[in-house]
């Protein structure tokens, strides 16, 4: 039932993935040398590429301190630009409004402005991050991102693209909010063959202005997938909070922007103790990616196919009856994590086709949360 793993994780896709990680490392190194420090990762699919770039720094560093200096130089913020908030048909909501909201949060932090949008997001992370046992270290808005603290407003944005719609909407939001001092590292799925006209034009415009580099890869198998395939990250969104905030906070309705979500960076950490077999799926994939990066850097003409066949078979065997591509498995992982951490709360949950876990709260719970914001 998990044979699809052998279709998406192949010698060719691993070599392409490794190439992407090396190119990201090279780009980050150049940006580091000209003073870029702030780094935003807005998608689950992009995070493993950044992790791979760190792996490159470990392999290529002539001494341990070089890798440490590369890794600690960047101030990382995992800010979820997801628009997959729910299956409702309310015309008041759109991906554009959601991504404008996330861009607004970023702009407020960069500019050192205290707004109701930022106050709301801080409260969201603090309140529901704690409730849902989320490690919020890289999720909470970092004070050192403010230009008043760091002395500049430039930042790096590492994202992925399939059709290009998301990055088009994000760039449009940046422009509308006056954010111009950024550099986008864009990993493009299917070697760019699925990019659509208007969105492709936006990408080319940014490239022409020297604010974007695109890195085509064969397959982003970490995108919109199980946390087993993206180093254990889950996306949580709160549809009832979104609806309540848009209705109750005048600034949100006036500015036509709204959002509510957080990254769950270690959503599968419990598997080390409760299900070592499934946890080993991440380990096998991590081994393959490390080996692929190492082979690419060594200039090997072909990554060893027998290793790929062995480790993908191992992943399938470890999964057993669990369907990795079924979003319901991601929902169950989330429930199991809460149970493991003794978070005895009764939640209304569902999950999207892209493995985004939706957590709904009662009207009273939403009202209580919003009362402390307004």
């Amino acid at each position: 039932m998990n044979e699809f793993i052998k279709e998406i994780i192949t010698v060719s896709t691993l070599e392409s993935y490794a190439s992407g990680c090396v190119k990201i490392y090279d780009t980050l190194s150049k940006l580091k040398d000209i003073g870029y420090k702030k780094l935003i990762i807005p998608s689950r699919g992009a995070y493993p590429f950044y992790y791979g770039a760190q792996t490159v720094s470990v392999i290529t560093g002539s001494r341990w301190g070089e890798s440490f200096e590369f890794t600690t130089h960047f101030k990382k913020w995992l800010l979820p630009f997801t628009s997959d908030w729910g299956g409702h048909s309310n015309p008041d909501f759109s991906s554009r409004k959601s991504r404008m909201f996330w861009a607004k949060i970023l702009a407020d932090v960069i500019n050192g402005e205290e707004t109701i949008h930022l106050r709301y997001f801080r409260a969201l992370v603090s309140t529901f991050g704690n409730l849902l046992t989320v490690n919020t270290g890289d999720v909470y808005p970092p004070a050192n991102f403010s230009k008043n603290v760091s002395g500049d407003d430039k930042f790096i944005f590492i994202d992925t693209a399939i059709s290009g719609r998301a990055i088009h909407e994000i760039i449009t939001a940046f422009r509308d909010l006056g954010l111009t001092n950024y550099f986008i590292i864009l990993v493009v799925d299917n070697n760019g063959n699925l990019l659509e006209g208007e969105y492709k034009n936006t990408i080319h415009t940014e490239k022409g202005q020297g604010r974007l580099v695109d890195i085509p890869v064969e397959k982003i198998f970490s995108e919109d997938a199980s946390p087993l395939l993206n180093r254990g990250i889950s996306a949580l969104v709160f549809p009832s909070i979104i609806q309540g905030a848009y209705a109750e906070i005048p600034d949100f309705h006036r500015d036509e922007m709204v959002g509510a979500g957080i990254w769950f960076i270690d959503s599968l950490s419990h598997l080390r103790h409760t299900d070592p077999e499934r946890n080993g799926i991440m380990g096998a994939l991590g081994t393959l990616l490390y080996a692929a990066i190492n082979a690419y850097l060594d200039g090997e003409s072909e990554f060893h196919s027998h290793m790929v066949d062995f480790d993908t078979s191992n992943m399938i065997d470890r999964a057993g009856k669990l369907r990795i591509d079924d979003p319901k498995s991601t929902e169950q992982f989330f429930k199991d994590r809460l149970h493991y951490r003794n978070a005895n709360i009764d939640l209304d949950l569902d999950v999207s086709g892209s493995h985004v876990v939706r957590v709904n709260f009662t009207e009273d719970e939403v009202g209580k949360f919003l009362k402390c914001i307004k």
Side-chain angles (χ1 to χ4, degrees):
M1 66 178 65
N2 290 300
E3 290 300 319
F4 78 96
I5 287 175
K6 287 187 174 291
E7 297 174 7
I8 64 172
I9 302 174
T10 66
V11 170
S12 180
T13 60
L14 285 167
E15 288 176 336
S16 178
Y17 214 98
S19 172
C21 292
V22 172
K23 290 174 182 175
I24 290 173
Y25 169 76
D26 289 341
T27 304
L28 286 174
S29 295
K30 293 174 184 176
L31 294 171
K32 171 180 169 292
D33 289 343
I34 58 175
Y36 280 84
K37 288 187 176 182
K38 306 180 189 76
L39 175 65
I40 292 92
I41 303 177
S43 70
R44 292 165 291 157
Y47 186 82
F49 284 96
Y50 171 68
Y51 189 90
Q54 292 180 303
T55 299
V56 175
S57 76
V58 172
I59 295 173
T60 60
S62 61
R63 61 183 189 280
W64 179 83
E66 289 182 359
S67 175
F68 179 79
E69 197 270 339
F70 173 85
T71 301
T72 57
H73 172 84
F74 296 105
K75 311 306 178 186
K76 183 171 77 267
W77 185 14
L78 306 181
L79 183 62
F81 273 69
T82 181
S83 65
D84 189 359
W85 66 274
H88 303 278
S89 59
N90 191 329
D92 280 343
F93 299 98
S94 67
S95 60
R96 179 189 63 79
K97 291 180 180 181
S98 180
R99 291 183 175 117
M100 176 63 84
F101 171 81
W102 296 117
K104 170 67 172 168
I105 297 300
L106 175 57
D108 289 346
V109 170
I110 292 286
N111 292 325
E113 296 179 355
E114 286 298 323
T115 66
I116 191 169
H117 307 79
L118 186 53
R119 196 162 70 245
Y120 160 85
F121 181 63
R122 285 196 186 109
L124 187 86
V125 173
S126 298
T127 302
F128 298 112
N130 182 61
L131 177 70
L132 302 174
T133 76
V134 174
N135 178 356
T136 60
D138 290 330
V139 178
Y140 195 80
N144 60 4
F145 265 49
S146 167
K147 64 184 180 183
N148 300 329
V149 175
S150 66
D152 66 73
D153 62 352
K154 57 189 177 185
F155 62 91
I156 304 166
F157 196 85
I158 303 180
D159 204 0
T160 55
I162 300 177
S163 72
R165 176 179 177 176
I167 195 63
H168 164 78
E169 292 180 342
I170 291 168
I171 290 170
T172 300
F174 285 174
R175 292 171 181 168
D176 290 345
L177 293 167
L179 289 173
T180 58
N181 203 359
Y182 56 80
F183 193 92
I184 297 171
I185 301 174
L186 189 66
V187 183
V188 185
D189 191 46
N190 203 341
N191 292 313
N193 293 319
L194 298 179
L195 290 175
E196 298 178 10
E198 180 186 5
Y199 311 146
K200 184 187 293 187
N201 292 339
T202 299
I203 292 169
H204 286 169
T205 297
E206 291 296 305
K207 285 179 64 178
Q209 294 176 347
R211 294 194 300 213
L212 182 148
V213 61
D214 58 335
I215 300 176
V217 297
E218 185 175 330
K219 179 66 178 176
I220 306 176
F221 45 75
S222 53
E223 185 71 38
D224 295 339
S226 167
L228 288 170
L229 301 180
N230 68 19
R231 302 204 60 83
I233 301 176
S234 292
L236 307 181
V237 294
F238 313 123
S240 54
I241 298 292
I242 290 175
Q243 290 179 307
Y246 198 72
E248 298 296 329
I249 300 177
D251 300 64
F252 285 17
H253 202 88
R254 180 200 66 208
D255 298 336
E256 294 194 322
M257 60 177 73
V258 67
I262 50 179
W263 290 138
F264 199 158
I265 186 68
D266 57 346
S267 68
L268 299 184
S269 61
H270 62 288
L271 293 182
R272 294 195 299 269
H273 311 282
T274 64
D275 197 342
E277 279 295 302
R278 270 63 181 271
N279 188 62
I281 295 171
M282 289 189 293
L285 180 55
T287 298
L288 281 172
L289 288 172
Y290 183 91
I293 291 170
N294 203 36
Y296 182 88
L297 291 169
D298 283 347
E300 294 184 16
S301 58
E302 184 176 346
F303 189 48
H304 300 297
S305 59
H306 65 85
M307 181 179 182
V308 178
D309 183 60
F310 176 85
D311 277 325
T312 52
S313 295
N314 182 24
M315 292 169 70
I316 292 170
D317 291 343
R318 285 177 175 275
K321 295 182 179 180
L322 173 77
R323 287 195 55 176
I324 295 174
D325 60 343
D326 183 356
K328 282 294 181 182
S329 67
T330 297
E331 180 182 339
Q332 189 59 51
F333 281 140
F334 178 63
K335 292 177 179 178
D336 293 345
R337 158 69 182 227
L338 292 177
H339 177 73
Y340 177 74
R341 294 294 295 270
N342 296 315
N344 298 315
I345 48 179
D346 185 22
L347 295 174
D348 174 13
L349 299 176
D350 71 342
V351 63
S352 76
S354 60
H355 293 256
V356 175
V357 177
R358 301 169 179 147
V359 186
N360 278 297
F361 298 98
T362 66
E363 187 175 338
D364 286 346
E365 290 169 329
V366 173
K368 182 179 179 180
F369 170 70
L370 294 177
K371 187 176 180 180
C372 72
I373 306 298
K374 293 185 290 183

